[in-house]
């Protein structure tokens, strides 16, 4: 049962006149994009097996949430998709080709975890975003007008153009994230990997990043986001991959985010709030407001199905749920 | 006035000053990368590990740069091997390997005191440098500068974010090897000027000084090369009047410049930082009211 989110990515590639033209334009601008992780196992040199027989696949126009406890292999999976670690068995293919070829075409862009970056390095915001263009430049990496235009466009898109001269350490956590996102945009990456982009980011910036990711997916990108913030996944992801050394479940968020699956992925470590065990009375009706500090709450309804924050855009779902009543 | 020009009347002095300036500049150039990449300890290790190579090269009549290069490389491999093959940490494995190479070098030299001069390797001997040695230095310097000028952006990206370099399809293994080779070659060159003990200063201090003075890598690159060249030139020149060791003069001068930057750098100096902290405290005091 594909939910309303599942096929969002199909739209949004311009407005050509005929289907044939549309197909042509799509083929020219966005060659068919796919990411296929096929039964990979990853072993670190110290003998630590970080991933075991993990498989899933994604196609163009998808935002996919990668969810798992600490040490479940999320970063390792990213490293495999970027070709930084070689699986001992299994393959990762982008557009049906090995990762190395996709990297040569600058198809893969990565937004690193904040801890991985040397924030005292003497580069400013423009320098960092320009690094996204190196692959497209000549041997000497001398920037041309097109590179400067791409840098400016990306910085404006993430709202960081006014900060272009700042040394990167002199930005807030959310601003730093946006700079690296701009670098991925400037690079023109089609498979964009974000490792925990929402840690240390305020709600407003989170919304802005999410909007941007949705737009990129609508442009035909594949976005893979690892996050600890379970509640945000149903709000902005089409699909989810649940990880715990292996892929426990993957598919549309509604199918993956079930209580049994999440319990399997996180063991007993998730905090829970059961209404029937709580002090909330029947006469309170639906007049309960949920506030959390940084994370969005993940709310399951009576039959264990996901509840969303916003009705708008999910009219179909509301209808289905109201019919269930009767 | 004339006394100030005296050093230039001696060929050996003029040569020493010019060669020092060249090596100082090249070391300064590389120091920008070395300090940011966190390879300072590696530079120190290399400068000691090349000693047996230099000794062997002199003994069997090969170019000293070749011998130095080979043992430098061997040391790097040994360090990596000790680190990955055991639970010993990197700094300890660097320490173990470079001291053993250095000890081997000392042993070789002490066994052949007539053929190799211990002092000139440990403390440098720029005043007595031979023409073939100068030729080797010039070749090393020209190649290093040329490669750096052509590929500094790639090397910068490699130092800053090797992950990004890899996702762009850039071969980081090659860049790693390239930077290491340049470092080894420059270490060998600097050995002649200031000696094995002080090479590491030439490879760190100018970069560290420039780092305090700017927030742009391109500027830092120019600044550290210029600092390296000027301090080496002035140090060698001053050594004539002080009648002291050239290496000592150069490195002392570099340290003085560093201390000035450390204290007075407009943005990253100690004084600027404490001024800023005070201003912040005052502002917070006001908003609290
Ligand atoms: N470089 C490494 N060498 C050896 N083992 C590693 C290395 N990196 C990660 N591991 C191990 O591999 C497993 C998976 O780690 P990974 O970093 O992929 O987890 P993660 O899901 O990203 O965790 P987190 O949520 O904390 O970021 C862990 O058990 C970890 O200890
Ligand atoms: Mg991680």
């Amino acid at each position: 049962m594909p939910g309303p989110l599942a096929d969002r990515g199909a739209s949004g590639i311009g407005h050509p006149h005929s289907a044939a033209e549309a197909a042509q334009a799509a083929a020219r601008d966005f060659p068919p994009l796919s990411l296929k992780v096929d039964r990979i196992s990853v072993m670190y040199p110290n003998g630590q097996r970080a991933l075991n027989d993990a498989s899933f696949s994604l196609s163009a126009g998808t935002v996919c949430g990668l969810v798992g406890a600490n040490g479940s292999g999320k970063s390792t999976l990213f490293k495999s998709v970027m070709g930084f670690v070689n699986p001992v068995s299994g393959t990762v293919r982008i557009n049906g080709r090995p990762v190395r070829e996709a990297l040569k075409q600058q198809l893969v862009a990565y937004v690193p975890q904040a801890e991985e970056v040397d924030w005292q390095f003497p580069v400013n915001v423009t320098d960092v975003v320009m690094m996204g263009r190196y692959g497209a430049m000549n041997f000497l990496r001398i920037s041309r007008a097109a590179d400067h235009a791409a840098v400016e466009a990306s910085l404006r898109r993430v709202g960081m153009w006014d900060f272009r001269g700042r040394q990167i350490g002199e930005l807030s956590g959310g601003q730093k994230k946006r700079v690296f996102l701009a670098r991925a945009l400037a690079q023109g990456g089609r498979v964009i990997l974000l490792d925990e982009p929402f840690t240390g980011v305020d709600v407003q910036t989170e919304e802005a990043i999410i909007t941007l990711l949705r737009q990129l997916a609508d442009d035909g990108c594949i976005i893979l986001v690892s996050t600890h913030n379970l509640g945000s996944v149903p709000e902005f992801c089409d699909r989810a991959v649940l990880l715990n050394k292996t892929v426990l479940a993957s598919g549309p968020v509604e199918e993956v985010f079930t209580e049994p699956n999440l319990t399997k992925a996180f063991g007993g470590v998730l905090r829970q709030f059961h209404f029937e065990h709580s002090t909330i009375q029947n006469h309170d009706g639906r007049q309960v407001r949920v506030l959390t500090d940084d994370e969005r709450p993940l709310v399951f309804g009576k039959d264990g199905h996901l509840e969303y924050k916003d009705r708008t855009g999910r009219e179909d779902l509301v209808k289905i749920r109201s019919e269930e009543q009767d | 006035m004339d006394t100030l020009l005296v050093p230039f009347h001696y060929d050996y002095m003029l040569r020493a000053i010019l060669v020092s300036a060249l090596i100082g500049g090249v070391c300064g150039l590389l120091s920008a990368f070395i300090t940011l990449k966190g390879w300072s300890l590696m530079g120190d290790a290399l400068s000691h590990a090349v000693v047996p190579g230099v000794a062997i090269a002199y003994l069997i009549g090969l170019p000293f740069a070749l011998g130095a290069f080979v043992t430098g490389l061997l040391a790097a491999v040994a360090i990596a091997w000790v680190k990955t093959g055991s639970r010993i940490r990197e700094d300890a494995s660097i320490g173990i390997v470079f001291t053993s190479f250095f000890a081997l070098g000392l042993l070789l030299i002490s066994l052949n005191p007539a053929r190799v001069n211990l002092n000139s390797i440990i403390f440098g001997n720029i005043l007595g440098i031979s023409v073939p040695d100068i030729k080797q230095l010039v070749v090393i310097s020209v190649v290093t500068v040329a490669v750096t000028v052509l590929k500094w952006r790639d090397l910068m990206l490699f130092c800053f974010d090797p992950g990004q370099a890899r996702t762009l399809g850039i071969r980081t293994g090659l860049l790693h090897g390239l930077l290491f080779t340049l470092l080894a070659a420059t270490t060998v060159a600097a050995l002649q000027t200031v000696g094995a003990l002080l090479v590491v200063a030439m490879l760190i201090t100018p970069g560290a000084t420039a780092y305090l003075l700017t927030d742009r890598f391109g500027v830092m690159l120019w600044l550290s090369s210029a600092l390296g060249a000027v301090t080496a030139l002035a140090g060698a020149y001053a050594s004539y009047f002080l009648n002291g060791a050239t290496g000592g003069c150069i490195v002392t001068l570099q340290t003085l410049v560093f201390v000035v930057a450390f204290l007075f750098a407009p943005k990253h100096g100690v004084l600027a930082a404490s001024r800023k902290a005070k201003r912040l405290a005052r502002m917070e005091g006001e908003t609290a009211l």
Side-chain angles (χ1 to χ4, degrees):
Chain A
M1 178 192 65
L5 282 171
D7 48 21
R8 263 202 211 172
S11 62
I13 313 177
H15 305 282
H17 298 298
S18 71
E21 260 180 84
Q24 240 176 13
R28 190 179 58 237
D29 295 333
F30 311 111
L33 194 63
S34 69
L35 168 67
K36 188 167 171 59
V37 174
D38 194 15
R39 309 197 60 175
I40 61 165
S41 300
V42 175
M43 187 113 82
Y44 281 108
N46 64 356
Q48 173 86 37
R49 190 177 273 268
L51 281 177
N52 197 6
D53 206 16
S55 309
F56 67 94
S57 63
L58 298 172
S59 54
T62 321
V63 179
C64 175
L66 189 60
V67 179
N70 290 133
S72 57
K74 300 185 293 293
S75 299
T76 305
L77 186 66
F78 277 144
K79 288 185 204 159
S80 319
V81 175
M82 293 183 289
F84 292 6
V85 296
N86 284 320
V88 287
S89 65
T91 54
V92 179
R93 295 196 162 245
I94 293 170
N95 290 346
R97 315 289 307 160
V99 171
R100 198 154 24 85
E101 289 178 30
L103 294 182
K104 286 233 172 70
Q105 300 169 289
Q106 278 92 55
L107 281 181
V108 183
Y110 174 56
V111 179
Q113 253 175 304
E115 305 88 80
E116 296 169 24
V117 178
D118 174 7
W119 296 108
Q120 299 304 318
F121 205 91
V123 283
N124 66 22
V125 168
T126 311
D127 295 334
V128 170
V129 180
M130 191 59 90
M131 287 173 190
R133 304 289 305 168
Y134 279 17
M137 291 180 192
N138 60 10
F139 177 78
L140 296 178
R141 319 284 180 211
I142 292 173
S143 47
R144 295 158 191 268
D147 299 313
H148 289 284
V151 168
E152 176 170 352
S154 327
L155 276 174
R156 286 196 188 283
R157 194 158 175 194
V158 300
M160 287 298 292
W161 177 244
D162 293 338
F163 295 86
R164 60 189 174 278
R166 284 270 188 100
Q167 197 270 332
I168 49 162
E170 296 164 2
L171 300 170
S172 74
Q175 292 167 339
K176 287 171 178 166
K177 276 276 143 51
R178 288 190 284 174
V179 170
F180 279 87
L181 199 54
R183 182 175 76 176
L185 296 182
Q187 182 187 330
R190 312 291 303 150
V191 177
I192 302 179
L193 311 172
L194 299 97
D195 206 349
E196 312 201 2
F198 303 128
T199 35
V201 164
D202 65 23
V203 180
Q204 207 179 349
T205 309
E206 183 180 317
E207 294 283 353
I209 293 178
I210 286 176
T211 310
L212 191 60
L213 295 183
R214 291 284 359 151
Q215 286 171 4
L216 287 170
D218 290 346
D219 289 348
C221 290
I222 292 178
I223 317 276
L224 190 57
V225 189
S226 85
T227 177
H228 283 123
N229 190 342
L230 288 184
S232 68
V233 172
E235 301 292 344
F236 80 98
C237 294
D238 310 311
R239 300 174 73 86
V241 171
L242 268 188
L243 211 59
N244 187 5
K245 304 275 166 190
T246 184
V247 174
L248 296 175
S250 79
V253 177
E254 298 82 348
E255 291 169 20
V256 171
F257 266 47
T258 60
E259 275 198 79
N261 275 346
L262 288 170
T263 313
K264 208 158 58 171
F266 288 90
V269 298
L270 287 180
R271 297 192 192 93
Q272 300 205 355
F273 186 95
H274 279 291
F275 277 73
E276 57 269 38
H277 302 159
S278 74
T279 51
I280 298 167
Q281 302 288 317
N282 275 341
H283 62 250
D284 291 327
R286 304 198 317 175
Q287 296 291 331
V288 183
R289 267 189 300 164
V290 182
L291 301 175
T292 71
D293 50 355
D294 57 340
E295 303 221 338
R296 292 169 199 249
L298 185 66
V299 181
F300 285 109
K302 193 170 76 240
D303 298 325
H305 46 223
L306 278 173
E307 301 293 354
Y308 295 89
K309 184 182 73 176
D310 220 342
R311 286 174 169 230
T312 46
R314 299 200 174 79
E315 286 78 9
D316 311 351
L317 195 70
V318 175
K319 205 160 133 231
I320 297 171
R321 295 284 156 85
S322 64
E323 280 160 10
E324 279 171 7
Q325 270 283 319
D326 311 326
Chain B
M1 190 65 226
D2 275 353
T3 49
L4 288 182
L5 294 176
V6 170
F8 300 116
H9 295 321
Y10 297 101
D11 260 0
Y12 76 91
M13 216 42 233
L14 192 60
R15 228 167 26 208
I17 292 175
L18 292 180
V19 172
S20 297
L22 178 68
I23 302 299
V26 176
C27 284
L29 187 67
L30 271 212
S31 72
F33 297 100
I34 303 306
T35 47
L36 287 174
K37 185 72 190 160
W39 280 8
S40 303
L41 250 185
M42 199 56 164
D44 197 20
L46 267 180
S47 64
H48 289 77
V50 296
V51 170
V54 174
I56 293 172
Y58 274 129
L59 284 176
I60 60 178
L62 286 174
F64 77 90
L66 185 68
F69 200 73
V70 170
T71 46
L73 216 61
L74 277 179
V77 171
I79 289 169
W81 190 41
V82 172
K83 192 188 99 181
T84 54
S86 70
R87 51 183 300 178
I88 295 170
R89 287 183 198 202
E90 179 157 33
D91 59 340
S93 53
I94 288 178
I96 291 170
V97 170
F98 92 71
T99 46
S100 45
F101 272 68
F102 191 56
L104 178 68
L106 291 185
L107 184 66
L108 283 174
I109 295 170
S110 64
L111 292 179
N112 300 278
R115 308 276 302 276
V116 199
N117 185 340
L118 177 67
N119 266 343
S120 70
I121 292 185
I122 306 299
F123 301 111
N125 180 21
I126 191 71
L127 298 180
I129 192 169
S130 69
V131 174
D133 284 0
I134 293 184
K135 279 188 189 149
Q136 290 182 44
L137 297 193
V138 171
V139 170
I140 291 176
S141 305
V142 169
V143 171
T144 305
V145 171
V147 171
T148 317
V149 166
L150 291 179
K151 295 307 273 180
W152 72 271
R153 287 192 177 86
D154 286 47
L155 290 170
M156 169 182 77
L157 179 59
F158 169 65
C159 292
F160 174 61
D161 191 348
Q164 169 71 5
R166 271 197 270 187
T167 53
L168 291 175
I170 295 171
R171 306 270 295 270
T172 47
L174 282 183
L175 288 177
H176 190 117
L178 182 68
L179 189 57
F180 184 83
T181 309
L182 294 180
L183 174 63
T186 319
T187 306
V188 175
L191 201 66
Q192 291 272 317
T193 330
V194 296
L197 291 185
L198 291 179
V199 167
V200 69
M202 303 259 285
L203 282 169
I204 298 175
T205 316
T209 312
Y211 180 52
L212 292 176
L213 295 173
T214 177
D215 275 340
R216 298 297 298 278
F217 187 80
V219 179
M220 179 173 164
L221 214 51
W222 280 114
L223 212 52
S224 61
S225 342
L227 278 172
V230 171
T231 49
L233 190 142
Y237 172 79
S239 74
Y240 176 83
F241 296 100
L242 296 172
N243 206 10
T246 324
C249 285
I250 293 174
V251 173
T252 308
L253 192 60
Q254 291 190 335
T255 310
L256 285 178
V257 176
F258 172 78
V259 169
V260 171
F262 179 72
L263 292 176
F264 302 109
K267 191 166 155 196
H268 302 296
V270 175
L271 296 182
S274 74
R275 233 180 298 134
K276 200 159 53 187
K278 271 196 206 121
R279 200 169 53 232
L280 270 180
R282 201 162 350 110
M283 262 160 53
E284 264 166 31
E286 277 162 15
T287 50
L289 286 177

